[in-house]
Amino acid sequence: MSGPLVEIRGLRVFAHHGVLAQERDRGQEFVFDVTLECPPSPAARTDDIADAVDYAEVCERVVELARGGPHNLLETLAALIAEDLTSRFAVESATVRVAKPEPPIPHQLDEVAVTVTRRL
């Protein structure tokens, strides 16, 4: 029996990460998608937040970590968050996707992104 997946999509955070000094100085918006694979729990039956992963707390932690740093690479930021979430919350795995909607690249594109998964 598998547990639920908790999904957070489109969490926007203004932060100061990037390879270029101007990215770190000026800052920019990052968009986070997080998927947490949870172990089986009684939450669906009990309807009690104490039996579930509180996604509001997960969002707060992602924002806190995203505002830290700075980090040069999206890979570093995504790995840091995925590792923290798997150690802090009762989850079997955390997949974190970090997107940069306006990267300093002279081509038309929607975004650049990196996805990292960490398992217990």
Side-chain angles (χ1 to χ4, degrees), residues 15-119:
H16 298 266
H17 307 290
V19 172
L20 303 177
Q22 69 186 26
E23 291 181 284
R24 291 187 303 276
D25 292 341
R26 185 179 51 167
Q28 62 192 304
E29 183 177 73
F30 294 84
V31 182
F32 295 86
D33 295 332
V34 177
T35 302
L36 303 174
E37 185 179 353
C38 303
S41 77
R45 183 176 30 77
T46 64
D47 198 28
D48 187 340
I49 190 68
D51 293 330
V53 172
D54 185 336
Y55 46 83
E57 287 182 20
V58 173
C59 288
E60 287 300 322
R61 186 61 180 156
V62 171
V63 169
E64 181 181 351
L65 292 168
R67 289 184 177 156
H71 303 288
N72 290 333
L73 302 178
L74 294 178
E75 289 88 336
T76 304
L77 183 57
L80 171 78
I81 293 170
E83 289 164 8
D84 183 89
L85 296 179
T86 56
S87 68
R88 182 175 296 269
F89 295 96
V91 299
E92 295 175 347
S93 71
T95 299
V96 176
R97 181 179 187 273
V98 182
K100 205 188 272 193
E102 296 181 22
I105 298 174
H107 302 285
Q108 286 190 334
L109 51 81
D110 291 334
E111 64 184 12
V112 295
V114 170
T115 302
V116 171
T117 299
R118 293 293 184 261
R119 298 189 186 287

